[in-house]
Amino acid sequence: GHLQFDVRCVDKQGKEIAPTQHNSVFFDIHAVKGSNLIKADANASDPYMVFYLKSLGKDACVKTEVVKDNLNPVWDRHLGLSTNDLSDTIVVELWDKDISKDDSLMDPLEYPVSSITPENPVNFDQDIQRKGKPAGHLQFHIYAVDKSSPVVQSRDIVLQPGQQCHSQWG
């Protein structure tokens, strides 16, 4: 099919404003894998990772797909977040997908936006904890993308009849 759309920048009151690229920061997040994760279900866990800006909350998160019944998930997935607020914080969480209520698999990690630069990415490859106890090992990276060089992203999306596509600009 064909997709055509327009993008407008608006303030919190809905008034159209000019875009401000000069202080916008884009983050390329690479969710790599987990290993030896704790069991949240009888046999294993159904883990997925969540990344969001603290100021926007989980309603504006980006996340990996759920890997069913697996304590050693491999996502190898790139996600994106952007912000104009250098005082904001990126929150990283690991969850187990359940029918009724998702369960946390680790204590949340937080990274101040101002501390992540092209020269100083987050390279997380270490053990995690949940409520002070070992919860497995996790690997992910958060890169600040230099806006002075053009960034082009493309995604292939295959939808089944009746499925919806939800996307977030990053």
Side-chain angles (χ1 to χ4, degrees):
H2 178 79
L3 176 65
Q4 181 176 347
F5 56 91
D6 295 315
V7 177
R8 298 182 314 126
C9 293
V10 296
D11 62 16
K12 291 181 181 179
Q13 290 75 37
K15 181 181 173 189
E16 192 162 344
I17 59 174
T20 55
Q21 288 288 350
H22 63 281
N23 60 354
S24 179
V25 181
F26 175 76
F27 296 98
D28 174 26
I29 299 167
H30 185 196
V32 181
K33 65 181 179 176
S35 57
N36 301 316
L37 300 180
I38 58 174
K39 288 182 189 178
D41 300 329
N43 297 325
S45 293
D46 305 314
Y48 66 97
M49 292 190 71
V50 173
F51 301 84
Y52 61 92
L53 293 163
K54 197 171 196 175
S55 67
L56 299 177
K58 291 182 192 173
D59 291 336
C61 75
V62 293
K63 58 187 174 180
T64 66
E65 67 277 356
V66 175
V67 179
K68 303 281 284 170
D69 296 323
N70 199 317
L71 300 179
N72 300 293
V74 175
W75 296 285
D76 193 20
R77 168 81 184 225
H78 284 269
L79 306 164
L81 285 175
S82 66
T83 184
N84 289 334
D85 184 357
L86 296 180
S87 67
D88 210 342
T89 301
I90 294 177
V91 181
V92 180
E93 297 178 346
L94 179 66
W95 290 89
D96 170 60
K97 181 71 175 166
D98 283 324
I99 294 172
S100 60
K101 180 183 173 202
D102 291 357
D103 296 316
S104 175
L105 293 177
M106 72 173 208
D107 298 334
L109 301 170
E110 295 187 1
Y111 298 93
V113 165
S114 61
S115 71
I116 307 169
T117 66
E119 300 78 25
N120 187 36
V122 173
N123 289 307
F124 190 92
D125 187 2
Q126 55 189 300
D127 291 340
I128 54 173
Q129 294 193 340
R130 181 175 182 269
K131 297 182 180 180
K133 295 182 179 176
H137 191 90
L138 196 59
Q139 183 181 1
F140 65 88
H141 309 283
I142 304 174
Y143 305 99
V145 177
D146 182 0
K147 285 294 197 177
S148 62
S149 60
V151 176
V152 176
Q153 291 187 342
S154 72
R155 306 255 189 321
D156 291 333
I157 301 172
V158 178
L159 297 176
Q160 301 301 320
Q163 279 186 309
Q164 296 181 4
C165 176
H166 300 278
S167 62
Q168 176 179 345
W169 287 100

